[in-house]
Amino acid sequence: MEITVYSQESCPPCVALKKRLDKEKIPYANVFTKDMSEREREWLRENILRVSKIGRPTVPAARIVNGKRELWVSNHGETDVTEMIDSIKKIIGRA
């Protein structure tokens, strides 16, 4: 299973999500959106919009790949990342 977190450096919810993942000992790779090409950012935007409850792409977002299955989790613009952490833990079987 692979978890990739898409984030921005100065984004408080992004920092909070990564700290919580570290605390929970959930391994992940981090990708800063500033390091992505325009094409990659458009791909990310489209995937986040598919799961967004607020109709706009926000970070942090997490992509979880398990074999051929791909799931996305977004924070929906919230500053609290508890719902995101709970969703990730449920997906990976740690809930």
Side-chain angles (χ1 to χ4, degrees):
M1 182 158 325
E2 265 179 47
I3 300 172
T4 305
V5 171
Y6 296 91
S7 66
Q8 295 176 346
E9 289 181 31
S10 60
C11 159
C14 299
V15 172
L17 176 66
K18 293 182 283 187
K19 282 183 179 179
R20 288 281 304 275
L21 289 170
D22 290 341
K23 181 180 177 184
E24 299 277 346
K25 297 188 180 354
I26 298 172
Y28 64 93
N30 182 69
V31 176
F32 288 118
T33 56
K34 71 174 183 67
D35 296 333
M36 299 172 74
S37 70
E38 186 59 38
R39 185 176 181 188
E40 290 169 323
R41 280 194 297 274
E42 182 58 29
W43 167 83
L44 177 62
R45 183 177 134 1
E46 289 172 8
N47 280 289
I48 294 172
L49 280 173
R50 286 189 301 119
V51 298
S52 176
K53 293 179 183 173
I54 60 172
R56 64 183 171 86
T58 60
V59 290
R63 176 179 178 234
I64 303 161
V65 178
N66 187 6
K68 293 182 181 181
R69 187 174 178 202
E70 175 183 272
L71 297 165
W72 286 83
V73 179
S74 171
N75 82 325
H76 311 295
E78 299 291 327
T79 55
D80 184 7
V81 296
T82 301
E83 185 179 330
M84 259 190 102
I85 288 290
D86 291 345
S87 294
I88 290 169
K89 287 168 62 175
K90 185 176 181 180
I91 291 166
I92 66 171
R94 287 203 194 171

